[in-house]
Amino acid sequence: MRMYELIEKKKRGESLSHEEIHDMVMGFVEGEIPDYQMAAMLMAICFRGMTEEETFELTMEMEHSGDTMDLSAISGCKVDKHSTGGVGDKTTLIVAPLVAACGGKVAKMSGRGLGHTGGTIDKLESIPGFQTALTREEFFHAVETCGLSVIGQSGNLVPADKKIYALRDVTATVDCIPLIASSIMSKKLAAGSDAILLDVKTGSGAFMKSPKEAAILAELMVHIGTRAGRKMEAVISNMNIPLGNAVGNALEVKEAIEVLKGRGPKDLTEVCLALASRMLILCGCADEKESMQVVKNALKSGAALEKLKEMIRIQGGDPLVVEDPERLPSAAFRYTVRSKEKGYLTEMNAEGIGMASMILGAGRQCKTDVLDYGAGILLYKKCGDYVVPGDPLAEFFYSDESRKNPAEKRLLDSLSFDDMKPKGEPLIYSIIKNPLS
C-alpha cells in the first residue's frame, strides 16, 4: 500500500476498503506513515466524507490499535455513559451513583478537560486524596464492591486515536462527523462496557451547534456501537446554557453533592434523572415504565449519595466531603459580577461562560496548564430571569487577581438582555434508540 494512492483515492471521493483502512491506521501508529500524509488524508475525509462502512471499519481499527478492557470478570451488565462535552456538565458525578444505587454496574474511564469544556477526572481529582489511576485489580474490585468506579484512561488504550486526534487538533479537521464518531466510539468500545448511553450535547457550549447535527452524529455512533455488539442509545441534550449553576472543578463537585441530597438545580437534576433512567433500561435493571421512578427513589432515599461516598472512600479520597463540602479546595478571592443592564436574560453563550471560567484558572488552554481546583463561577441568574442594574449575575472564585477583569469581560460579553421574556427550550430534544437502517 502506498499512502499517496489512498490520499488520491479519497480525494476523488472513493471509498477505502477494510484492508486499506487497516494498513493506513497501523502504518500511522507504527510511524511508517508521516504526519503530513495523514494530515492530507484527514483533510480529504473532511471534504469527501466517509460511508457508514468506512466509519465503522475506521472505528474498529482504532479500537484494536492497542489494548482493550475485558470487563467480563465483573458480574452483571456493565453500562457506560459518554458526554460529548459541555459547560457545567458534572452529570457523571450524579448519574453513576444513581445507577449503582439501582443495581447497575458503572466501570467508567473518563478524560480531562481542555478549553471551555470541563473534564470528569479533573473534577474528581479536586477531592482531596482521590485516586483516578487504579490498577486493573483495584478498578474491578471497586466496581464489584460498590457498583461504580471512575478512572482516567491509562495504558495503551486506543493509541491510534491519540495520534490522529493530536493531528486533527492542529489541522482544522476536528469538526468532521465520521472522525468524531470513530474517535469517541473507538474509546468507548475499547473500554469494554456491555451497554453505552451517549449524551450528545447541542448548542452554543457544545461542539454540535444544532439538534439536527447532533442527531446525525448520535445516529452514526449508535449504529457503530450496535454493529459492534453493544446495547446503545443516545440522548440529544441542550447545551445552549451551562448545566446547573456551577462551572469549575470543586464547585461542580459541591453542586453534584447538592443534587444527590435532593436540593440541586432543577435543570441539572432533570437531565441526570433522565440519563440514569435510560442507563438502567440499557443494562436491564428496570423497564421503560418503572425506570424513572426507580431512579427517583434512589435519589430520595439517599442511596445514591451513599454510593458516591463509598466510591470516594474506595478510591482514596476524603469521604467527609459529602457531609462537609467545605473540605474541598477553595480559591483565595471571591468577586460578585453585577448587572449593568435592565431586562430579561435572554441568552447565555455557554462556550463564552466556560472560557471565563478557564480564564479564572478552572480550565486549561493547553494540556500542560496547572488547574486551580477552587476556581470557577457560580451563576445566580439563568435565561428567563429579570434583572436590573446592580443585581448579582454571578460570583467568581479565583486565586490570581490579574484574571478577574478579563474573565468578567468574557462573561458579560456572553450574556444578552431584552424587554421580552424568552421562550423556554427543552433540556432534552430526543432519544435515539434504534441503529441506522
Side-chain angles (χ1 to χ4, degrees), residues 137-189:
E137 292 72 22
E138 290 169 337
F139 180 47
F140 282 25
H141 173 72
V143 178
E144 199 67 81
T145 301
C146 73
L148 75 156
S149 180
V150 184
I151 61 172
Q153 183 177 317
S154 59
N156 192 38
L157 212 69
V158 201
D161 181 64
K162 292 186 181 77
K163 287 196 71 173
I164 291 172
Y165 192 89
L167 202 53
R168 287 168 60 204
D169 198 36
V170 295
T171 56
T173 54
V174 171
D175 60 340
C176 173
I177 284 179
L179 296 178
I180 297 169
S182 59
S183 174
I184 291 172
M185 289 307 300
S186 63
K187 293 193 287 282
K188 289 292 101 182
L189 294 174

Side-chain angles (χ1 to χ4, degrees), residues 287-353:
D287 61 26
E288 290 274 358
K289 291 181 180 179
E290 66 180 6
S291 62
M292 182 57 77
Q293 191 57 53
V294 169
V295 172
K296 287 180 177 179
N297 291 344
L299 181 66
K300 187 176 180 180
S301 70
L305 184 67
E306 285 303 310
K307 285 294 181 183
L308 177 64
K309 187 176 180 180
E310 188 178 359
M311 182 186 75
I312 292 171
R313 179 184 58 78
I314 288 175
Q315 295 190 219
D318 178 7
L320 295 180
V321 299
V322 172
E323 279 86 29
D324 182 13
E326 296 307 312
R327 298 172 73 92
L328 290 162
S330 59
F333 305 111
R334 298 168 70 157
Y335 170 75
T336 301
V337 179
R338 298 186 180 276
S339 176
K340 300 175 184 178
E341 307 280 347
K342 177 182 178 180
Y344 290 101
L345 182 53
T346 57
E347 184 179 335
M348 304 177 76
N349 184 283
E351 181 175 354
I353 294 168

